[in-house]
């Protein structure tokens, strides 16, 4: 039953291995809880799931993570109903915790320049890391899309790249001249490397000639942000948020931003309208003449 659900996610929903693994980890939390309570997953009731949700809160799982876990559980039980394992869906009345408006951190162009300036270009990985940051910001890629980026998907003469996003859906994303320039510097260094068999088509490689992992990118980004004196909470995803916000502030249509980011739903993209409103509010508070007068008094 459990394995059948994972096969369903992989083969029918066309989820990537990383996504299937995430669903499996979240669902395993429920199965472990139910086993401890002596409850079979097919006999679970709404009250059991509510107690499980409460246990997540008790152990400090954030509201956002609780929502993700409960969403996966709803998907699992909908599958059980559809495939005839159970008759009634116990998750129909299962509520998720309320989330407040959460605006992701955004970097200005000046802050991104500061981070890039913290990179020591005399080290072998210097040009690679600068190219990584520039491609993240230039193309708004997810970190998994960056680590899986292939040379065969670069069309630098035409100034775009082909990206494989969630659900293996492909999209074409423009790439800036600056990012192309930084890639050129990296390729000069890359040609001198001993590359592992089977890794030849990956754009970004580690010193052993294998493609990078998401953890490596996260560590690298946090290190340079700290060295640059950036106080914001930074992750590789921050550059994606910054890319989208810069497009919106530059006048891009929300549908264009949705296409560039590879969002399935326009609702996901609409968070950037909240960021823009927040930015506008801050600007008004900072520069409105009434507020300037108040600061002087």
């Amino acid at each position: 039953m459990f394995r059948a659900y994972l096969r369903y996610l992989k083969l029918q929903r066309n989820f990537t291995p990383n996504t299937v693994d995430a669903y499996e980890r979240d669902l395993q939390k429920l199965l472990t809880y139910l086993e401890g309570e002596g409850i079979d997953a097919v006999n679970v009731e709404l009250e059991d799931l509510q107690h499980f949700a409460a246990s997540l809160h008790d152990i400090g799982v954030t509201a956002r993570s609780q929502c993700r876990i409960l969403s996966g559980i709803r998907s699992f039980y909908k599958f059980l109903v559809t495939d005839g394992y159970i008759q009634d869906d116990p998750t129909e009345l299962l509520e998720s915790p309320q989330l407040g408006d959460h605006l992701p951190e955004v970097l200005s162009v000046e802050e991104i320049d500061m981070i890039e300036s913290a990179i020591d270009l005399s080290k072998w990985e210097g040009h690679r890391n600068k190219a990584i940051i520039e491609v993240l910001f230039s193309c708004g890629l997810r970190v998994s899309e960056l680590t899986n980026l292939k040379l065969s998907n670069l069309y630098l003469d035409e100034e775009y790249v082909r990206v494989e996003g969630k659900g293996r859906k492909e999209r074409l994303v423009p790439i800036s001249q600056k990012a192309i320039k930084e890639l050129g510097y990296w390729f000069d260094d890359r040609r001198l490397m001993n590359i592992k068999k089977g890794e030849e088509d990956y754009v970004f490689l580690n010193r052993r000639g294998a493609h990078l992992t998401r953890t490596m990118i996260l560590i690298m980004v946090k290190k340079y942000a700290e060295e640059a004196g950036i106080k914001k909470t930074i992750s590789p995803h921050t550059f994606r948020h910054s890319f989208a916000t810069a497009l919106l502030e530059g006048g891009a249509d929300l549908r264009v931003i949705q296409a560039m980011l590879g969002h399935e739903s326009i609702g996901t993209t609409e968070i950037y309208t909240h960021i823009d409103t927040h930015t506008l509010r801050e600007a008004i508070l900072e520069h409105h003449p009434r507020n300037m007068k108040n600061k002087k008094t």
Side-chain angles (χ1 to χ4, degrees):
M1 177 178 66
F2 183 47
R3 292 298 158 193
Y5 173 64
L6 297 180
R7 285 196 299 273
Y8 158 77
L9 294 179
K10 182 178 180 181
L11 301 177
Q12 294 189 41
R13 296 292 300 275
N14 201 31
F15 285 171
T16 64
N18 284 340
T19 302
V20 174
D21 288 346
Y23 271 78
E24 181 176 4
R25 286 193 301 272
D26 286 347
L27 188 54
Q28 193 60 55
K29 291 180 176 64
L30 173 67
L31 298 180
T32 301
Y33 171 83
L34 294 177
E35 183 179 353
E37 297 293 319
I39 303 170
D40 192 295
V42 297
N43 297 323
V44 76
E45 297 180 357
L46 174 61
E47 186 178 8
D48 302 320
L49 296 176
Q50 289 171 332
H51 289 161
F52 168 70
S55 74
L56 294 176
H57 178 271
D58 291 342
I59 63 175
V61 176
T62 66
R64 189 167 296 278
S65 294
Q66 290 177 47
C67 288
R68 186 199 68 236
I69 293 168
L70 296 180
S71 175
I73 289 170
R74 291 188 189 92
S75 170
F76 174 61
Y77 278 102
K78 282 181 174 60
F79 165 79
L80 295 186
V81 170
T82 302
D83 272 39
Y85 290 98
I86 58 176
Q87 286 189 331
D88 299 314
D89 183 356
T91 69
E92 280 185 343
L93 300 178
L94 181 63
E95 296 183 353
S96 293
Q98 294 295 314
L99 294 176
D101 290 336
H102 173 69
L103 302 181
E105 294 278 22
V106 174
L107 293 167
S108 66
V109 174
E110 291 75 20
E111 287 172 322
I112 291 171
D113 289 341
M114 287 167 61
I115 292 173
E116 291 185 356
S117 296
I119 300 172
D120 185 350
L121 297 180
S122 67
K123 294 184 177 179
W124 82 267
E125 74 273 18
H127 286 297
R128 180 202 68 184
N129 292 347
K130 190 171 183 181
I132 285 171
I133 289 174
E134 200 55 46
V135 170
L136 283 172
F137 179 55
S138 171
C139 302
L141 302 188
R142 301 177 178 95
V143 66
S144 58
E145 294 169 349
L146 181 102
T147 56
N148 291 314
L149 193 62
K150 306 288 180 60
L151 294 173
S152 55
N153 287 337
L154 301 183
Y155 302 89
L156 301 185
D157 289 340
E158 291 82 11
E159 299 184 9
Y160 72 87
V161 299
R162 187 167 67 230
V163 178
E164 185 178 286
K166 288 186 175 181
R168 297 189 179 91
K169 292 183 179 179
E170 292 189 342
R171 67 185 190 276
L172 297 178
V173 181
I175 183 170
S176 70
Q177 281 288 336
K178 180 165 173 50
I180 293 172
K181 179 182 176 182
E182 297 302 338
L183 281 172
Y185 291 139
W186 157 236
F187 291 155
D188 288 340
D189 295 335
R190 189 183 183 281
R191 292 185 189 98
L192 304 176
M193 297 180 63
N194 292 320
I195 301 174
K196 281 188 175 181
K197 188 175 181 180
E199 305 283 293
E200 297 90 350
D201 199 25
Y202 286 98
V203 173
F204 295 110
L205 304 170
N206 61 28
R207 62 175 66 246
R208 294 180 299 279
H211 69 282
L212 297 174
T213 66
R214 292 181 294 178
T215 302
M216 292 176 185
I217 304 291
L218 174 63
I219 292 171
M220 181 266 287
V221 165
K222 285 185 173 294
K223 170 179 176 287
Y224 289 133
E226 183 178 345
E227 291 178 1
I230 304 295
K231 302 301 182 185
K232 297 176 180 177
T233 303
I234 303 299
S235 74
H237 220 65
T238 307
F239 296 93
R240 180 170 162 88
H241 295 315
S242 304
F243 163 82
T245 304
L247 286 182
L248 185 66
E249 291 177 346
D253 183 86
L254 207 57
R255 292 286 179 184
V256 172
I257 300 173
Q258 178 189 7
M260 292 300 95
L261 294 175
H263 284 160
E264 181 109 6
S265 167
I266 190 70
T268 309
T269 317
E270 284 176 344
I271 187 174
Y272 296 106
T273 63
H274 300 311
I275 294 173
D276 193 44
T277 302
H278 177 75
T279 304
L280 179 61
R281 176 181 176 276
E282 293 299 313
I284 291 172
L285 290 175
E286 180 74 19
H287 301 293
H288 192 281
R290 294 294 191 195
N291 294 320
M292 297 295 288
K293 180 180 179 181
N294 289 340
K295 283 184 178 180
K296 292 176 182 177
T297 57

